[in-house]
Amino acid sequence: MPDRHVNDAELKSLAQSGEAALWGHLAARSRQATSFSELFFLSTLRKKAKRHTTESVQPSLRLALIGGYNLYPLHELVEHLLAIRGVECERFLGDYDNFVSEILDGSSPLYAFKPDLAFILPNAGRCRFSGSLLDAVEHQREAAVGAAEHLLNLAQTFIARSGAAVILANLALPGDLDLGSFRSRTLGADWSFRKAVNLELGLRAPAEVQICDLEFLSARRGITAAEDARAWYESKQLGSPDFLVDVAQELSHLIASRKQGPKKVLAIDLDHTLWGGVIAEDGVEGIELGDSSPRGEAFKAFQRYLLALSERGVLLAVCSKNDHARAVEVFEKHPEMVLRLEHIAAFKANWDPKSDNLQRIADELRVGLDSFVFADDNPAEIEIVRQFQPQVEGVLLGPDPAEFIGRLQAGRHFEPRNVTEEDLGRTAQYRQERRRTELAASVTDMPAYLASLEMRGTIKEFDSLDLPRIAQLIARSNQFNLTTVRRSETEIQGLLRRPDYSCFTMRLEDRFGDSGLISVVIAKIEGGVFVLDTWLMSCRVLKRQVEDEIMNEIFRLAEIAGCATVRGIYLPTAKNGIVAGIYEEFGFMRTEDSAARKEFELKVETYQMRSTKIRVTRRAYEAS
């Protein structure tokens, strides 16, 4: 991210001189743009600058935009915002208000385009309750459910026919004054009916349909500022020009985040961040925290927000230049502290550089630094971390604690696509892991240690209930991930119906607690060969014989499928070096060896099942 804002004249100068610095500034300005005139200027500048480059970029996304509005110039803004995020797309633009026919007609140009993803933008004005304002509320609610199901059925029809993913927009609310406060007393009013439809859309949408929340976007800008009656009558626009920017920003963010999961760890400073003052100088009694002052109340509210992040799966870590004992004392003794030690997954308070402590936290949690966000009030500390740990996203909180939550949210680093049971218990799982580590350090006999854990494993074929967690692991696992093949929920759902694929997961629990769903395997059966397309596993369970049980299951299923050979694939990345030798450790022979791809094979008849300390209570494709 560039460290300063550049104006239009400077951008034009950079574009004309062909300087590479243009692209960083262009991306930063585009992400922050909120007005149509600014974003359209930046889009035009990018196109002109591209004419002077010799680099040929192949589209990486086939994107269809269909809906109940004129989609020009929305598509220009979306294309630009995707391009500055590194996603070049080839685009299909549906006809005005023809999306129902385009979806239902299997021979329409929409399907001929073969999209990877479709954005469906229904016309909000056509979503009205057709009955009376005085109809029974049950009847009005049924109509809202019916409207929502109609849109979801269209989305699922499109998915079934195309295999592509869908982002479905919900409905912006009208700003009409008509009906006055009575609008809130009936679902028959446009305002309350669309709210009811939106609620049903969100609650009923299957995992493979992602919602683009236009109701929220229009409320955030202001409903009347988002509307533009003249633009509708003259050219059938969705809303005001600036509201198109909001929609384009949101859509590009949703598309980009499909391939890039949220951050996992928030590392936070202490002094002037969780409380006002310096603990080493002011002591527990002297710091500013709590409801007795506006600033103290703001620090407390920030802690409540961090606790909410923790409760939905974000790991909190302390990374502070501080005296460890004094820092811990605040968590243990201050009555206004919201965060306690049990909410912190890793605690580093010492006088070492924070960049070093971030690396130690990453090692302790077994999470890559590219999954970290570091928040601090001190710009110098943010800059040092940026230089020495460039993979870490820095967030400068500034001097005013009232702004901390907004500044942290502005980066959109922790927005979940789905929230799974594993997310809700993640901090507890890391506390359990700490107890396992302490136990391991106290024994000298590894088999005895593993036996003492009393591990129980459950191996199961893919099912729709596990789909969100499977998709999450596939999107976020980088280290123990043999091929790093990313798949969307839609693609994973499609595997459930494929007889030529064998796909299973493994859960693990022990006497310290439940580690949840920790491994995913996808194998394709090709002419008597069991090809391991995907094998990934949580690094939290490394060296606990889970790898052995997974490999046992692979060969068991290969034999059932009638395969004579198991083929393992390893696609090296910058992060998955820890599994580079795993197939050879199991006796596989290398059959292909290039820089980008390595393949290994082992005959099923020669594999010796490994004995482990894990009691497997269920195996894949067996009745529970």
Side-chain angles (χ1 to χ4, degrees), residues 372-621:
F372 274 60
V373 173
F374 170 61
D376 200 308
D377 67 296
N378 187 338
E381 294 290 355
I382 294 289
E383 177 58 23
I384 290 171
V385 168
R386 187 181 72 82
Q387 289 188 21
F388 289 93
Q389 301 290 4
Q391 296 169 288
V392 176
E393 288 282 353
V395 174
L396 178 61
L397 296 173
D400 186 353
E403 296 181 358
F404 285 4
I405 296 175
R407 285 175 176 249
L408 194 54
Q409 289 180 341
R412 307 190 70 172
H413 300 302
F414 300 108
E415 293 182 6
R417 174 77 190 280
N418 287 297
V419 178
T420 65
E421 289 185 11
E422 281 78 3
D423 293 328
L424 301 182
R426 183 160 294 126
T427 300
Q429 289 171 354
Y430 275 87
R431 285 202 305 273
Q432 294 161 11
E433 191 58 31
R434 196 178 302 162
R435 293 168 62 195
R436 291 185 191 100
T437 304
E438 291 168 357
L439 173 63
S442 67
V443 300
T444 55
D445 184 308
M446 182 55 74
Y449 161 69
L450 293 173
S452 72
L453 290 178
E454 301 170 11
M455 293 182 286
R456 299 171 299 282
T458 305
I459 300 175
K460 193 173 71 169
E461 65 278 7
F462 280 13
D463 66 28
S464 56
L465 293 178
D466 285 333
L467 196 60
R469 176 58 177 163
I470 294 169
Q472 188 182 66
L473 274 175
I474 287 177
R476 300 172 66 171
S477 297
N478 295 307
Q479 297 181 79
F480 196 115
N481 191 336
L482 274 299
T483 57
T484 325
V485 174
R486 309 297 190 192
R487 283 186 168 91
S488 67
E489 286 94 336
T490 305
E491 292 169 313
I492 300 166
Q493 182 88 34
L495 293 176
L496 302 183
R497 301 185 292 272
R498 295 283 298 269
D500 55 336
Y501 275 84
S502 185
C503 312
F504 67 88
T505 61
M506 182 169 176
R507 291 178 178 273
L508 186 71
E509 59 182 327
D510 62 19
R511 70 185 176 94
F512 289 108
D514 187 355
S515 296
L517 196 159
I518 42 81
S519 188
V520 172
V521 174
I522 298 173
K524 188 174 185 183
I525 301 164
E526 290 182 341
V529 181
F530 203 74
V531 182
L532 296 173
D533 169 288
T534 294
W535 180 13
L536 55 88
M537 195 172 80
S538 168
C539 290
R540 286 184 288 117
V541 297
L542 273 175
K543 306 301 180 187
R544 286 163 60 186
Q545 298 183 328
V546 174
E547 306 95 305
D548 299 327
E549 281 299 341
I550 292 288
M551 192 59 79
N552 288 346
E553 186 69 2
I554 286 169
F555 276 87
R556 189 185 75 85
L557 293 175
E559 186 173 17
I560 291 173
C563 295
T565 304
V566 173
R567 180 181 300 152
I569 301 170
Y570 171 60
L571 305 180
T573 71
K575 299 175 183 174
N576 69 357
I578 64 171
V579 291
I582 193 165
Y583 285 120
E584 288 168 319
E585 290 172 14
F586 279 95
F588 283 64
M589 299 297 292
R590 190 173 299 204
T591 56
E592 180 178 333
D593 190 0
S594 67
R597 183 184 181 92
K598 304 179 191 307
E599 291 191 3
F600 308 83
E601 289 189 354
L602 183 60
K603 295 292 183 184
V604 172
E605 62 185 13
T606 62
Y607 179 73
Q608 298 294 315
M609 292 286 176
R610 294 198 175 189
S611 174
T612 75
K613 303 296 184 185
I614 301 172
R615 181 165 64 87
V616 178
T617 58
R618 184 194 192 281
R619 293 198 174 275
Y621 302 98

